[in-house]
């Protein structure tokens, strides 16, 4: 009785009022909690009002008679998100033309029915996701057909994570393609793709991908709880979702790994990680992520062990060069000149003789100029980008030296520091090192080597305190865990027998022999 008392005034208002815009949000929310009616006309007017038909031009509604049942029916779908040919041939034509007596819709249509639903709010969510809904006069349930066909890019090469060796495929904006790319690499019945809705108004879906025989149940539950705690109308992309999931969103250092490579995602899943995929996102999030995972590259494993270790050690060296080169130059020239050999000291002094600024001002000016050139090269059209980077750096550096604003050695310091930062592949870690470099510059400018050393020690304490979904940031180095020990140096594959211990996977052993 209560249901009839609620829905009857709402439907009376829908039928009588000529302007559907006058329906309040509270009325619409109450309506979405109700079930559909057995009345054909009532359902028709309800969904016309909800979807603002005919004002909403991409919402398609077609009425017809099911000949074999001799009953009126209508279908409703979003024209820009479905395969219209399949709807016409597999659903509509069958319902209109079939003359065989039957009491079930499933026996008439040739297109498979994904499911049925009766709640108005649930049906709206399915339609918004690209599913076609069929309403038949006299039925208390709606028939839903999986007819989704979204437009987007095909599978292309990875742009931000370029590798010399290894697979060239990258994720695109279609989550179906992204799941298929992972399943192509992990042919296992234990691979689970679980969906979850994370927003109220936009109804954005998130897909959790993991191996049920590997993933730790506590980790999986924590990820689900963190997703459930999101209270937002919209989360349109994984980059935004990442900021909701982080424990310390204001931290310089990332605690979630962002990658656009399906081979890398599959490798993490095989270790016991949880991967998040989302429609409209050409990437995935890997949970949890450690400092070492962010520093590693898939190419380290694709290459032979000596070559991969050389590149990895070069990458770790580049981190220290990018972070400390400018700070060390400032500290030595301002506070610790005794550490420089006399000949080199005289050369530096000679180049700075006519420069009117202190070394910290020189460094800051050139660091900012380098960052401007870097960002300008990224933002302008691709044919012009490399040209702006090369020409801008050459012209700016040469002009600054000739004008006695910058000393030549500062150009060398900034060039070495900037080039080293390009070797760090992960975008978030790259930003972290670039911003940390400015902190070291200021600390060295005020207290010399002692200031830079103090900041480094405090930074280590801070990094050790970070956690990613309960996993310490420097695991398995500290706290120590039994694992493959794939940290600074990678071992030969035959000796990598264990999965990461900090994940507490259900199966620790990766290979039994070797």
């Amino acid at each position: 009785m209560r249901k009839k008392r609620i829905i009857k005034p709402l439907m009376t208002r829908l039928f009588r009022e000529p302007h559907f815009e006058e329906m309040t949000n509270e009325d619409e929310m109450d309506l979405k909690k109700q079930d559909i009616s057995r009345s054909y006309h009532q359902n028709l007017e309800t969904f016309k009002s909800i979807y603002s038909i005919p004002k909403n031009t991409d919402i398609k509604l077609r009425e017809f008679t099911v000949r074999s049942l001799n009953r009126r029916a209508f279908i409703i779908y979003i024209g820009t998100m479905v395969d219209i040919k399949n709807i016409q041939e597999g659903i509509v034509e069958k319902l209109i033309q079939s003359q065989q007596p039957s009491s079930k819709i499933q026996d008439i249509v040739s297109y498979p029915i994904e499911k049925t639903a009766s709640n108005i709010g649930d049906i709206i969510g399915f339609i918004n996701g690209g599913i076609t809904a069929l309403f038949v006069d006299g039925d208390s349930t709606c028939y839903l057909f999986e007819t989704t066909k979204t437009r987007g890019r095909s599978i292309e090469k990875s742009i931000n994570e370029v590798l010399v060796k290894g697979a060239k495929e990258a994720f695109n904006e279609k989550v179906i393609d992204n799941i298929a790319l992972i399943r192509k690499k992990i042919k296992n019945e234990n691979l689970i793709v679980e969906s979850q809705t994370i927003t109220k108004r936009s109804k954005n879906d998130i897909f959790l991908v993991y191996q049920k025989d590997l993933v730790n149940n506590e980790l999986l539950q924590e990820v689900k709880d963190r997703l459930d705690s999101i209270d937002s109308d919209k989360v349109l992309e994984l980059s935004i979702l990442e900021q909701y999931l982080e424990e310390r969103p204001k931290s310089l250092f990332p605690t979630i790994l962002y990658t656009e490579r399906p081979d890398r995602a599959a490798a993490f899943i095989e270790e016991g990680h949880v991967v998040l995929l989302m429609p409209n996102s050409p990437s995935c999030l890997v949970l949890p992520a450690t400092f070492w995972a962010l520093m590693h590259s898939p190419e380290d494993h694709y290459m032979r062990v000596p070559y991969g270790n050389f590149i990895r050690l070069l990458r770790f060296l580049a981190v220290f060069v990018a972070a400390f080169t400018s700070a060390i130059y400032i500290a030595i020239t301002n506070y610790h000149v005794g550490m420089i050999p006399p000949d080199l000291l005289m050369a530096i002094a000679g180049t700075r003789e006519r420069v009117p600024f202190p070394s910290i001002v020189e460094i800051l000016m050139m660091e900012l100029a380098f960052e401007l050139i870097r960002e300008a090269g990224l933002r302008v059209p691709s044919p012009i980008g490399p040209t702006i980077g090369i020409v801008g750096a050459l012209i700016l550096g040469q002009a600054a030296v000739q004008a006695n604003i910058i000393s030549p050695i500062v150009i060398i310091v900034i060039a070495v520091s900037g080039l080293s930062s390009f070797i760090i592949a992960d975008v978030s870690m790259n930003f972290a090192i670039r911003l940390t470099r400015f902190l070291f510059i200021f600390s060295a400018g005020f207290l010399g080597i002692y200031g830079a050393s103090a900041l480094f020690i405090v930074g280590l304490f801070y990094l050790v305190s970070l956690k990613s979904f309960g996993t310490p940031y420097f695991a398995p180095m500290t706290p120590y865990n039994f694992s493959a020990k794939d940290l600074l140096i990678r071992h030969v594959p035959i000796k990598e027998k264990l999965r990461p211990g900090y994940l507490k996977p259900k199966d620790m052993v990766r290979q039994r022999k070797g």
Side-chain angles (χ1 to χ4, degrees):
M1 292 296 294
R2 182 178 179 274
K3 174 183 172 182
K4 291 182 179 179
R5 286 197 302 269
I6 293 175
I7 198 169
K8 189 173 180 181
L10 290 174
M11 296 313 303
T12 303
R13 179 180 300 182
L14 289 177
F15 294 148
R16 290 181 179 176
E17 294 183 357
H19 300 292
F20 43 75
E21 292 88 352
E22 295 178 4
M23 187 177 180
T24 65
N25 288 335
E26 292 183 1
D27 292 340
E28 188 172 346
M29 290 177 64
D30 289 337
L31 182 60
K32 288 180 180 179
K33 295 177 183 178
Q34 308 305 316
D35 291 341
I36 63 173
S37 170
R38 288 181 178 272
S39 169
Y40 169 82
H41 294 288
Q42 187 168 320
N43 292 332
L44 183 65
E45 294 301 324
T46 298
F47 281 87
K48 277 186 175 181
S49 174
I50 289 172
Y51 281 104
S52 306
I53 298 174
K55 182 178 180 180
N56 205 348
T57 56
D58 69 332
I59 305 295
K60 307 300 180 183
L61 188 148
R62 179 172 177 182
E63 301 179 63
F64 52 89
T65 299
V66 181
R67 182 176 297 184
S68 59
L69 299 178
N70 195 24
R71 284 193 281 172
R72 293 290 293 167
F74 72 90
I75 60 170
I76 183 171
Y77 55 87
I78 301 177
T80 53
M81 296 183 66
V82 300
D83 190 331
I84 297 177
K85 183 179 179 181
N86 286 341
I87 294 174
Q88 182 65 26
E89 295 178 355
I91 303 174
V92 178
E93 290 182 1
K94 297 293 183 181
L95 292 171
I96 294 175
Q97 298 174 2
S98 177
Q99 297 181 356
Q100 296 180 357
S102 175
S103 60
K104 294 182 178 180
I105 296 295
Q106 292 89 334
D107 298 334
I108 302 174
V109 297
S110 61
Y111 205 93
I113 295 178
E114 186 191 33
K115 62 183 70 175
T116 59
S118 58
N119 179 264
I120 293 176
D122 293 341
I123 296 170
I124 292 171
F126 287 122
I127 295 173
N128 293 342
I131 288 177
T132 298
L134 168 66
F135 297 84
V136 180
D137 188 15
D139 286 356
S140 59
T141 58
C142 164
Y143 304 95
L144 301 168
F145 301 87
E146 179 60 72
T147 54
T148 308
K149 184 182 179 181
T150 54
R151 282 73 178 171
R153 292 186 301 148
S154 59
I155 298 172
E156 301 173 355
K157 290 184 178 180
S158 175
I159 299 175
N160 296 320
E161 298 175 81
V162 181
L163 300 184
V164 177
K165 237 180 175 183
K168 307 301 180 186
E169 297 171 325
F171 289 131
N172 60 21
E173 286 76 10
K174 292 189 286 188
V175 72
I176 297 175
D177 289 348
N178 297 342
I179 294 172
L181 287 172
I182 293 178
R183 284 204 175 272
K184 187 173 71 171
K185 292 170 174 58
I186 305 177
K187 299 179 177 67
N188 193 317
E189 69 279 3
N190 292 309
L191 182 65
I192 305 297
V193 180
E194 188 175 344
S195 64
Q196 186 172 341
T197 303
I198 57 171
T199 54
K200 297 178 180 178
R201 182 176 293 274
S202 298
K203 302 295 182 183
N204 301 117
D205 291 327
I206 189 76
F207 293 86
L208 292 82
V209 187
Y210 57 90
Q211 289 225 66
K212 68 178 182 181
D213 60 336
L214 290 180
V215 70
N216 182 272
N217 291 331
E218 293 181 2
L219 169 63
L220 181 61
Q221 189 59 46
E222 184 175 354
V223 173
K224 292 181 179 179
D225 292 342
R226 202 81 66 87
L227 290 171
D228 287 335
S229 65
I230 296 175
D231 185 13
S232 175
D233 280 350
K234 62 181 180 65
V235 177
L236 299 179
E237 218 268 349
L238 279 175
S239 301
I240 301 173
L241 178 65
E242 178 183 1
Q243 300 172 58
Y244 281 96
L245 295 178
E246 286 183 312
E247 293 181 11
R248 301 186 187 181
K250 295 182 181 179
S251 171
L252 285 183
F253 286 83
T255 54
I256 296 176
L257 192 147
Y258 180 97
T259 180
E260 60 183 22
R261 298 188 60 87
D263 56 337
R264 196 177 186 192
F268 279 111
I269 292 172
E270 291 280 15
E271 290 182 346
H273 291 261
V274 178
V275 166
L276 302 183
L277 295 171
M278 196 171 180
N280 307 314
S281 295
S283 56
C284 73
L285 296 181
V286 179
L287 315 173
T290 62
F291 175 83
W292 312 106
L294 291 160
M295 289 298 301
H296 293 168
S297 169
E299 202 164 34
D300 300 346
H301 292 269
Y302 290 145
M303 288 189 169
R304 296 182 64 244
V305 172
Y307 314 151
N309 282 333
F310 171 73
I311 293 175
R312 181 174 290 185
L313 292 175
L314 192 65
R315 191 180 304 119
F316 279 100
L317 176 64
V319 170
F320 283 93
V321 171
F324 291 104
T325 303
S326 299
I328 290 174
Y329 172 79
I330 293 172
I332 289 177
T333 54
N334 285 357
Y335 298 96
H336 313 287
V337 291
M339 297 175 63
I340 309 176
D343 293 340
L344 179 59
L345 178 61
M346 294 298 294
I348 294 175
T351 58
R352 299 196 68 253
E353 183 178 2
R354 301 180 62 183
V355 176
F357 303 111
S359 57
I360 186 173
V361 175
E362 283 185 274
I363 290 291
L364 286 174
M365 288 171 58
M366 290 308 298
E367 286 282 7
L368 291 173
F370 190 88
E371 294 296 332
L372 287 172
I373 294 172
R374 184 205 299 254
E375 292 301 315
L378 291 174
R379 302 292 177 261
V380 298
S382 53
I384 311 174
T387 306
I388 286 181
I390 296 171
V391 175
L394 288 175
I395 294 176
L396 185 64
Q398 184 67 25
V401 170
Q402 290 182 352
N404 293 322
I405 298 174
I406 302 296
S407 59
I409 194 168
V410 169
I411 301 295
I412 298 173
V413 170
I414 297 300
V416 171
S417 177
L419 288 174
S420 299
S421 67
F422 282 112
I423 300 179
I424 306 166
D426 187 85
V427 176
S428 298
M429 183 60 74
N430 188 290
F431 271 107
I433 299 301
R434 286 160 60 184
L435 293 174
T436 303
R437 180 169 62 206
F438 285 97
L439 297 179
F440 281 113
I441 288 172
F442 286 113
S443 62
F446 287 108
L447 295 173
I449 289 291
Y450 301 107
S453 301
L455 181 61
F456 178 68
I457 294 171
V458 171
L460 281 180
F461 279 113
Y462 173 73
L463 290 177
V464 170
S465 71
L466 291 177
K467 287 188 177 181
S468 175
F469 290 85
T471 301
Y473 202 49
F474 274 105
M477 175 179 283
T478 175
Y480 177 77
N481 290 102
F482 287 102
S483 66
K485 300 179 181 178
D486 185 15
L487 300 178
L488 286 173
I489 297 176
R490 174 199 154 213
H491 297 284
V492 292
I494 198 171
K495 291 188 177 181
E496 295 180 351
K497 299 180 180 180
L498 301 176
R499 291 185 172 86
Y502 55 84
L503 293 174
K504 299 178 183 178
K506 294 175 182 176
D507 184 7
M508 271 290 298
V509 181
R510 180 181 293 170
Q511 53 181 335
R512 307 290 175 182
K513 297 180 181 181

